[in-house]
Amino acid sequence: MFYEPGKTPHNLPHDPFKACVAPRPIGWVSTLDKNGRPNLAPYSFFNAVLGTPPMVMFSSGGSIDSLQNARDTGEFVVGVAPRAMLKELNFSSSPLPPDEDEFEYAGLEKLPAKCVKPHLIKGVPIHMECTVYQIVDLPSAFPDKRPCAMVIGTVVGLHIDDDIIRDGMVDITLFEPLARLGYQEYASVSETFTVRREDFWK
């Protein structure tokens, strides 16, 4: 099949685009609004964008609170959710009013960060404390109600639970990070394999 998004129909029951870009890591984004109220939301449009300095991004296309809070405060924290916390992650995606606390709604305990003000999530083995580097506005079908943007942050603090480090390396199979597939499907990483890069410069 072939179709041109926005121009020609795909003739499928659901938009297949997200199923074609999978798995997508999930960033569990914690922010504070300008009044200090916490917000927590999962983002499947999330990834690393640079290694040195370490930088990550999340793209907001629906929930506007994380985006607005990042604009207002210049800070956010990203947690890497383990499979064991799928229920809590799903609860935190509920469209609550800005004055309601997703941590409390999902039954999660807040922990203090070291370099920024937004909270860490107890039980999450990896957190990245970030300062906003740049926010790139993106097209939106409803720009007044649902603005879309990509938030790029510099990682200024990195928390890694000692229990997921084996032989000096992070072993993600010990917590099985969650990933988003298409539609309502999720996956977790429980198995890995190693491929050595060839030395092309011999």
Side-chain angles (χ1 to χ4, degrees):
M1 65 170 290
F2 172 78
Y3 74 102
E4 297 177 79
K7 292 184 180 181
T8 59
H10 50 67
N11 295 320
L12 296 173
H14 304 284
D15 186 348
F17 169 69
K18 294 180 183 179
C20 295
V21 185
R24 301 189 309 278
I26 298 174
W28 213 352
V29 177
S30 168
T31 57
L32 294 177
D33 69 12
K34 56 187 177 183
N35 296 314
R37 295 178 300 190
N39 181 268
L40 182 66
Y43 286 86
S44 64
F45 286 98
F46 158 77
N47 220 316
V49 294
L50 193 64
T52 308
M55 303 182 80
V56 296
M57 61 73 63
F58 72 93
S59 178
S60 176
S63 173
I64 64 173
D65 293 335
S66 301
L67 169 59
Q68 188 60 52
N69 293 348
R71 286 190 192 276
D72 290 342
T73 68
E75 297 180 339
F76 62 95
V77 172
V78 179
V80 180
R83 179 170 181 165
M85 298 181 73
L86 174 59
K87 178 181 177 181
E88 291 85 350
L89 180 131
N90 191 36
F91 269 57
S92 72
S93 68
S94 300
L96 302 181
D99 59 345
E100 290 196 33
D101 187 338
E102 287 83 3
F103 283 88
E104 293 183 2
Y105 184 77
L108 295 164
E109 183 177 339
K110 304 181 188 76
L111 297 175
K114 292 184 178 294
C115 303
V116 299
K117 293 180 180 177
H119 302 93
L120 313 184
I121 311 162
K122 185 175 182 179
V124 170
I126 295 175
H127 288 95
M128 289 164 274
E129 301 185 21
C130 302
T131 56
V132 173
Y133 173 77
Q134 185 177 1
I135 297 178
V136 180
D137 291 321
L138 301 173
S140 172
F142 307 99
D144 295 334
K145 296 182 179 180
R146 298 177 64 179
C148 298
M150 176 176 60
V151 180
I152 303 171
T154 303
V155 179
V156 296
L158 182 57
H159 302 256
I160 304 173
D161 192 323
D162 291 338
D163 288 341
I164 66 168
I165 297 176
R166 290 289 184 272
D167 300 322
M169 296 185 291
V170 174
D171 185 344
I172 63 171
T173 65
L174 296 175
F175 71 99
E176 300 185 29
L178 289 166
R180 188 71 187 271
L181 306 177
Y183 318 113
Q184 300 300 312
E185 298 172 314
Y186 289 78
S188 61
V189 181
S190 58
E191 182 180 355
T192 66
F193 56 89
T194 300
V195 178
R196 304 290 182 187
R197 287 188 178 183
E198 293 290 339
D199 185 354
F200 295 104
W201 304 105
K202 289 182 179 179

